[in-house]
Amino acid sequence: MIKYHGTPVGGSKRDALLFLTGRHALISFANQQHAPEVVNCCDSFCLDNGAFSIWKKGNGQIDEEEYKYWVDSLKQHPAFDFYIIPDVIDGTVRDNDDALKRWKNVAGGIPVYHMGEPIPRFRMLSRNYPYVCLGSTSKWPSVGSSKWWPYMADFMDAVCDNEGRPPCKLHGLRMLNPKVFTRLPLHSADSCNAAVNSGVCMKKGVYPNLERWQGSERIARRFEMFQSAPVWHRDNINKQNTDLIFTED
């Protein structure tokens, strides 16, 4: 499974370079601070449209013209994997389908299926795109929570075949947590966990003798020890592993 670490990673440019070298990263349109470090150091990267930042603020919308210009400036880079097509979290199906139409001629994009949308919409996306992102909404905001898992289990039951295989590659938005991705057949996932929690741990004195990049490195390596589930089965949810950690974004 490809593990994309969200940026910016915190600390200095040196911290960013040392942490990101040889890894996979996600750059958000909402904060491009470490984009130069990502494109110069990472094995690969993807581009996020910034919808989650807008949703958290409670207002605004993606400047699609500026986002397209930004995507076009980076998508020919050899380390570029994909960009996330503009979406509206808690928007209507029509809102998000209209965005797909506007971006259909911009190569390299993958769509978002939001929890709670009709299953036929996911099936349509899986037929038309090699990847589909799985994203939360205000009804299921906390990835991996006791409220989130029942919906995700029902969704996976509905879309996977009899062998537990999804119809396309799945990318888990904010799902780079071993307690989550080891239970789902994800092709990739992202999270700002290593960046955010390294700062939190250092402020609390958990890593008193480490530099900022070393704190991020320590967290990231715990994630990178694990892989996603090969197939989906409801029993996956009940698997126990004391090495699995962490907090959400």
Side-chain angles (χ1 to χ4, degrees), residues 124-209:
M124 178 274 291
L125 296 175
S126 70
R127 289 193 300 270
N128 289 284
Y129 296 88
Y131 297 75
V132 175
C133 296
L134 302 181
S136 300
T137 59
S138 58
K139 191 172 181 181
W140 297 278
S142 300
V143 174
S145 68
S146 58
K147 183 179 180 181
W148 184 88
W149 271 118
Y151 175 86
M152 181 56 68
D154 289 343
F155 168 77
M156 296 300 292
D157 282 347
V159 303
C160 292
D161 64 18
N162 291 335
E163 301 298 323
R165 299 170 299 195
C168 65
K169 293 180 179 179
L170 302 177
H171 176 86
L173 295 169
R174 299 170 53 237
M175 296 186 196
L176 193 54
N177 180 332
K179 288 184 177 180
V180 174
F181 69 72
T182 59
R183 291 161 166 79
L184 297 171
L186 300 179
H187 173 75
S188 57
D190 68 74
S191 171
C192 291
N193 237 325
V196 172
N197 286 306
S198 65
V200 172
C201 288
M202 295 181 84
K203 286 179 181 178
K204 292 182 177 180
V206 178
Y207 301 148
N209 300 316

Side-chain angles (χ1 to χ4, degrees), residues 2 5 10 12 24 50 62 75 78 90 96 104 110 114 116 164 171 196 203 221 224 227:
I2 302 174
H5 297 284
S12 65
H24 307 276
I62 299 167
K75 69 180 184 181
D90 289 337
N96 288 300
K104 66 180 180 179
I110 64 174
H114 305 87
H171 176 86
V196 172
K203 286 179 181 178
R221 286 196 176 192
E224 292 162 358
Q227 293 297 333

Side-chain angles (χ1 to χ4, degrees), residues 11-247:
S12 65
K13 285 189 176 182
R14 175 178 176 275
D15 288 308
L17 287 167
L18 288 169
F19 172 68
L20 291 169
T21 297
R23 286 195 156 89
H24 307 276
L26 175 147
I27 315 171
S28 173
F29 183 53
N31 192 330
Q32 303 164 35
Q33 178 184 345
H34 286 149
E37 289 74 26
V38 168
V39 299
N40 286 317
C41 301
C42 286
D43 282 359
S44 74
F45 64 88
C46 62
L47 305 177
D48 176 64
N49 59 44
F52 182 72
S53 297
I54 291 172
W55 179 59
K56 286 188 73 174
K57 292 177 182 176
N59 57 59
Q61 58 184 11
I62 299 167
D63 185 330
E64 293 195 16
E65 185 175 343
E66 285 296 317
Y67 183 54
K68 182 179 182 299
Y69 178 82
W70 186 58
V71 168
D72 284 341
S73 73
L74 292 170
K75 69 180 184 181
Q76 298 303 320
H77 192 284
F80 169 82
D81 283 342
F82 61 85
Y83 73 88
I84 299 175
I85 296 170
D87 65 301
V88 182
I89 301 173
D90 289 337
T92 65
V93 169
R94 182 171 182 176
D95 290 335
N96 288 300
D97 283 350
D98 285 347
L100 299 183
K101 294 174 184 177
R102 292 193 299 272
W103 285 76
K104 66 180 180 179
N105 294 322
V106 184
I110 64 174
V112 179
Y113 171 82
H114 305 87
M115 297 176 72
E117 290 181 338
I119 295 296
R121 182 171 192 269
F122 173 83
R123 297 193 187 284
M124 178 274 291
L125 296 175
S126 70
R127 289 193 300 270
N128 289 284
Y129 296 88
Y131 297 75
V132 175
C133 296
L134 302 181
S136 300
T137 59
S138 58
K139 191 172 181 181
W140 297 278
S142 300
V143 174
S145 68
S146 58
K147 183 179 180 181
W148 184 88
W149 271 118
Y151 175 86
M152 181 56 68
D154 289 343
F155 168 77
M156 296 300 292
D157 282 347
V159 303
C160 292
D161 64 18
N162 291 335
E163 301 298 323
R165 299 170 299 195
C168 65
K169 293 180 179 179
L170 302 177
H171 176 86
L173 295 169
R174 299 170 53 237
M175 296 186 196
L176 193 54
N177 180 332
K179 288 184 177 180
V180 174
F181 69 72
T182 59
R183 291 161 166 79
L184 297 171
L186 300 179
H187 173 75
S188 57
D190 68 74
S191 171
C192 291
N193 237 325
V196 172
N197 286 306
S198 65
V200 172
C201 288
M202 295 181 84
K203 286 179 181 178
K204 292 182 177 180
V206 178
Y207 301 148
N209 300 316
L210 300 184
E211 295 183 51
R212 181 65 183 268
W213 74 271
Q214 292 173 314
S216 296
E217 175 89 4
R218 191 163 185 169
I219 293 170
R221 286 196 176 192
R222 292 295 300 273
F223 297 161
E224 292 162 358
M225 291 168 59
F226 301 97
Q227 293 297 333
S228 61
V231 295
W232 163 250
H233 193 282
R234 275 186 176 260
D235 288 347
N236 293 0
I237 297 177
N238 300 318
K239 288 180 180 178
Q240 298 295 320
N241 188 326
T242 56
D243 291 329
L244 300 183
I245 52 172
F246 229 130
T247 57

